[in-house]
Amino acid sequence: MAEFCLDCWNRLNGFQKTERDYVLSDDYDLCEGCGQFRPVIVFARKAKWLYDLKQTLKRRQS
């Protein structure tokens, strides 16, 4: 399976998606688009509201 970073995925498909739309890997992996070690897309996020909630809670703790 091809592994692409978010920037390359958006460029290849003409999207303007963000981290809210996809789950990215925790570790750096080789992107097959740009050839750099970056977080790559693991899968599309289905419950975007959970991501929003997690980010809100992080901001409140800081």
Side-chain angles (χ1 to χ4, degrees):
M1 179 175 196
E3 296 178 335
F4 293 100
C5 66
L6 186 58
D7 294 334
C8 289
W9 184 254
N10 284 335
R11 188 172 2 98
L12 288 170
N13 295 299
F15 295 151
Q16 292 183 356
K17 305 278 183 163
T18 63
E19 288 184 21
R20 183 177 185 263
D21 300 301
Y22 296 104
V23 174
L24 301 177
S25 63
D26 291 331
D27 298 327
Y28 288 97
D29 204 347
L30 184 64
C31 171
E32 294 181 23
C34 60
Q36 297 179 9
F37 282 95
R38 303 177 71 180
V40 295
I41 295 174
V42 177
F43 58 89
R45 191 181 307 274
K46 293 180 182 168
K48 295 175 186 165
W49 63 272
L50 285 174
Y51 176 80
D52 295 339
L53 179 62
K54 182 178 175 184
Q55 296 303 315
T56 302
L57 292 174
K58 275 186 180 179
R59 277 186 255 136
R60 286 187 181 176
Q61 289 178 354
S62 298

